[in-house]
Amino acid sequence: WKFTSNYITKENLAMLDILAHNNWVRPICFTTTIGQENLIGLQPYLYKEGFTYHLIPFKPDTTTKDQLGKTNSLVMYDNMMKKFKYGNFKTAKYLDHESTTMFYPVMLTTFLDLASGLIKDGHPDLALKVLHKYDGEMPDINPGLEVADRKIFMAKTAYQLHDAILGKKFVTSVDDYVTDQLDYNYNLMKNNSGDFSPQTVQYCISFISGLADVTGENHQIALNNKLKAQMKDYETKFAAILQRGQ
């Protein structure tokens, strides 16, 4: 392990003291929302076990690009499936800004990381249970493009685990969101509104393309044909904007 910063702060000194004197008597954990600058180069030794990273002195896996996406999958499964209480997140009549834009993306990413970790570790049956747990505990919302993008990967994972019904549900959720964004921006464009967002248009059309790829690869013919027709329609409507972006 190498200390990665060019300077050291008081909180860094405190962490170094813990590392030097803890002797692995107690677990050393970090919240998953911590900034990378506070991890002082420990990323290769951090494994998700839910909504925390657990520092474990395993030999670093240098083949893993996303060092913070690694999981201690079976421990994490037990924590997220049996211990953590999700409350009324799914049924709440009102979710504040922090719940939708900060906590919800963290929840989604954590479920995805767990499912991916279980697949990697040879537990596809548990991975599918994780996707159903997410579907059962989390509301079907898309607070922004980042969440929609992650849900495309969730749909791909569901199809990979041979659950076409759940895969279609995730695909439909993303498709409903991006077509709403595209229709809204089409009206703004026709009215020469300053709120029109070419970037949003480009992202949303690329998401429909991604959904079409996922459904095509998994032989969902009717849904695939619908998505390809949508993409053709929006490419025609926004042809001038798309040409500028090339």
Side-chain angles (χ1 to χ4, degrees):
W1 166 66
K2 292 182 179 180
F3 185 78
T4 54
S5 180
N6 294 323
Y7 59 90
I8 191 163
T9 62
K10 288 183 178 180
E11 57 264 35
N12 295 154
L13 287 172
M15 178 52 60
L16 291 173
D17 183 64
I18 292 172
L19 292 173
H21 299 102
N22 184 60
N23 295 321
W24 305 105
V25 174
R26 295 183 178 182
I28 299 174
C29 299
F30 300 82
T31 177
T32 55
T33 55
I34 192 173
Q36 291 214 33
E37 67 278 5
N38 296 313
L39 296 176
I40 59 175
L42 293 170
Q43 289 89 328
Y45 305 96
L46 295 177
Y47 293 80
K48 272 190 175 180
E49 292 187 349
F51 301 104
T52 59
Y53 296 115
H54 185 182
L55 182 67
I56 305 176
F58 292 155
K59 183 179 180 179
D61 182 0
T62 56
T63 64
T64 301
K65 292 183 180 179
D66 181 13
Q67 288 294 327
L68 291 180
K70 304 188 307 299
T71 63
N72 190 6
S73 63
L74 293 179
V75 173
M76 184 173 177
Y77 180 87
D78 188 59
N79 288 338
M80 292 189 62
M81 299 291 284
K82 301 175 183 179
K83 295 180 179 178
F84 190 81
K85 303 300 181 184
Y86 297 90
N88 65 340
F89 210 130
K90 187 177 181 71
T91 58
K93 294 181 180 179
Y94 171 75
L95 292 172
D96 61 17
H97 183 264
E98 286 72 21
S99 296
T100 57
T101 62
M102 184 172 72
F103 294 116
Y104 186 79
V106 169
M107 293 279 194
L108 173 57
T109 299
T110 304
F111 274 103
L112 273 174
D113 284 345
L114 176 55
S116 298
L118 288 165
I119 292 170
K120 182 180 179 181
D121 292 341
H123 305 289
D125 55 327
L126 299 182
L128 184 56
K129 290 181 179 179
V130 167
L131 295 188
H132 279 279
K133 181 71 170 178
Y134 165 83
D135 185 48
E137 297 286 359
M138 293 291 104
D140 183 15
I141 58 175
N142 289 284
L145 294 171
E146 183 181 3
V147 165
D149 190 24
R150 294 177 192 175
K151 279 191 177 178
I152 295 175
F153 184 71
M154 186 165 274
K156 186 175 182 178
T157 304
Y159 283 125
Q160 179 185 348
L161 296 171
H162 310 294
D163 193 329
I165 294 175
L166 190 59
K168 181 180 179 180
K169 184 174 183 178
F170 293 144
V171 167
T172 301
S173 173
V174 176
D175 184 49
D176 288 346
Y177 169 72
V178 297
T179 53
D180 180 68
Q181 293 294 307
L182 288 167
D183 291 342
Y184 174 68
N185 273 279
Y186 184 61
N187 285 325
L188 292 178
M189 184 181 70
K190 288 195 301 182
N191 294 321
N192 294 314
S193 171
D195 293 328
F196 172 68
S197 173
Q199 186 179 48
T200 297
V201 168
Q202 291 171 343
Y203 274 125
C204 287
I205 291 177
S206 73
F207 286 177
I208 295 178
S209 176
L211 293 172
D213 289 342
V214 169
T215 53
E217 291 166 359
N218 290 280
H219 314 293
Q220 304 300 305
I221 298 174
L223 191 53
N224 178 254
N225 288 337
K226 173 188 173 183
L227 291 163
K228 288 193 292 187
Q230 285 178 349
M231 188 166 62
K232 184 177 180 180
D233 178 47
Y234 287 120
E235 285 177 340
T236 300
K237 288 179 177 178
F238 295 106
I241 301 301
L242 295 174
Q243 288 173 0
R244 288 181 209 165
Q246 292 178 351

